[in-house]
Amino acid sequence: MDRDEEVLEAPYRLEYTYQRSTGPVIGRFLGALRDARLEGVRTASGSVMVPPLEYDADGAATGEPTVVGPGGVVTTWAWVTEPRREHPLPHPFAWALVRLDGADSAMLHAVDAGSIDAMRTGMRVVPRWQDERTGSIRDLACFVPESAAAAAAAAAAAAAASAAAAGDDRPPVTMFPSPVALDYTVTAGRHLSAYLRALAERRIVGGRCPVCTKVYLPPRGACPTCGVPADAPVEVADHGVVTTFCIIRIPFDAAPFPPPYASVAVLLEGADMPIFHLLRGIPPEEVRMGMRVRAVWVADDQLGPTLASIRWFEPTGEPDAPHDQIARHL
Ligand SMILES: [Zn+2]
């Protein structure tokens, strides 16, 4: 395939991090992990549940926290040969159900055994703690096969944490971040690929419908009004008119600038569809419909097949366009 016809692909991650409330029972469990201590809870029937929950399987409220472990027994396990980015260990490990000493239920966690040959049901394990603990399940880095050295290290970590916790005035754990992410591979298609490739050359290329003559930007394979291919390439200007805008005043993680800032729809000269971009170089309260603006491109060595090749738009200082000129493009 000719390079000019290659379809572009790019990774795309859709991600948001929730703040979840723990409730008092899980919060206490996470707070204990921060102190390098494993805790369960006693149920109405007298058994010890780990991790603790507010209610047992019969729906009865659970009672007082109970210290368990630190050692335990693997009751079942599965080997992970190719860890994913989110996994707790970067090398092969086991997911295992571990029944801690003093507990009647098993908890799921990772076991760093080094090799699948070192794993077996019934093996004894002890925790490996993170040095820096925040009140998260990840404070417990993993379990490791019990040996004299591992048991001594786990006991020393717990003793040090216990001593540090004695004068502890840290607040109880009530919230924790819960990231959710979906990884996609986005395929641009032929028309969008041509548009993106032109941006890497400081050109903006739309596609014209042969029937209604509208210039779509970005170009589309077909005119949604006429149902015919709209693939005649048309180069449009890198300046135009603000049709509509909004002022972003609420901060969020992916914001390009500290708010307030303006996001604008710009009708480029020669196009019939506005594109969306940022506007800089003017106080947000002075942005208005009809304002004439031009693209501010990135430096040559930063150009690429992306709309980010345009850093933002800025006012040209020319008189505003009359409303009639943009009325059909809102
Ligand atoms: Zn058309």
Side-chain angles (χ1 to χ4, degrees):
M1 188 180 280
D2 187 295
R3 184 189 165 279
D4 289 342
E5 294 178 8
E6 270 176 41
V7 172
L8 296 172
E9 280 187 357
Y12 180 74
R13 170 165 264 229
L14 178 65
E15 181 174 37
Y16 12 70
T17 297
Y18 290 100
Q19 293 293 329
R20 291 191 182 279
S21 56
T22 61
V25 174
I26 301 289
R28 198 166 55 207
F29 171 70
L30 296 176
L33 294 179
R34 189 171 59 188
D35 297 337
R37 191 174 67 248
L38 289 155
E39 278 187 7
V41 72
R42 195 165 292 281
T43 67
S45 64
S47 64
V48 175
M49 181 196 293
V50 184
L53 291 174
E54 286 83 354
Y55 298 95
D56 66 16
D58 298 325
T62 53
E64 289 303 302
T66 303
V67 175
V68 294
V73 174
V74 170
T75 61
T76 188
W77 55 278
W79 191 250
V80 178
T81 52
E82 293 180 20
R84 298 173 66 90
R85 182 176 53 185
E86 296 80 3
H87 280 165
L89 294 164
H91 50 261
F93 68 96
W95 284 122
L97 285 177
V98 176
R99 192 176 65 243
L100 293 158
D101 297 341
D104 295 290
S105 62
M107 67 178 282
L108 178 70
H109 214 296
V111 175
D112 188 7
S115 151
I116 190 172
D117 297 329
M119 284 300 303
R120 60 183 172 78
T121 299
M123 72 189 286
R124 287 198 56 81
V125 292
V126 292
R128 178 194 289 156
W129 298 100
Q130 302 281 8
D131 291 335
E132 297 284 330
R133 293 182 298 276
T134 60
S136 153
I137 189 63
R138 289 177 181 263
D139 290 351
L140 173 56
C142 60
F143 286 92
V144 295
E146 185 178 77
S147 66
S162 170
D168 193 355
D169 57 357
R170 287 178 296 183
V173 177
T174 57
M175 304 283 283
F176 67 96
S178 178
V180 177
L182 294 169
D183 286 309
Y184 294 91
T185 298
V186 174
T187 303
R190 274 199 302 127
H191 299 92
L192 199 55
S193 293
Y195 164 78
L196 294 169
R197 201 172 282 116
L199 285 168
E201 300 167 353
R202 293 179 189 267
R203 296 186 302 115
I204 305 171
V205 177
R208 188 190 303 276
C209 170
V211 178
C212 67
T213 73
K214 274 185 187 163
V215 173
Y216 287 93
L217 192 69
R220 303 183 187 187
C223 174
T225 306
C226 310
V228 298
D231 55 1
V234 175
E235 189 155 338
V236 303
D238 69 350
H239 55 264
V241 175
V242 171
T243 57
T244 58
F245 64 94
C246 75
I247 308 300
I248 288 84
R249 299 185 185 278
I250 299 171
F252 58 102
D253 285 350
F257 315 107
Y261 61 90
S263 180
V264 291
V266 180
L267 183 67
L268 295 173
E269 197 172 301
D272 288 285
M273 307 290 149
I275 61 167
F276 294 93
H277 219 296
L278 302 165
L279 180 67
R280 302 281 277 171
I282 186 170
E285 59 272 21
E286 293 179 24
V287 179
R288 53 199 184 271
M289 295 168 73
M291 172 176 276
R292 293 185 192 276
V293 295
R294 66 179 157 237
V296 177
W297 295 85
V298 297
D300 283 356
D301 61 357
Q302 293 170 348
L303 286 169
T306 160
L307 191 55
S309 287
I310 297 175
R311 296 173 73 189
W312 52 68
F313 282 79
E314 64 179 11
T316 65
E318 298 164 284
D320 287 0
H323 185 261
D324 290 354
Q325 191 177 325
I326 59 172
R328 287 188 307 108
H329 304 282
L330 297 177

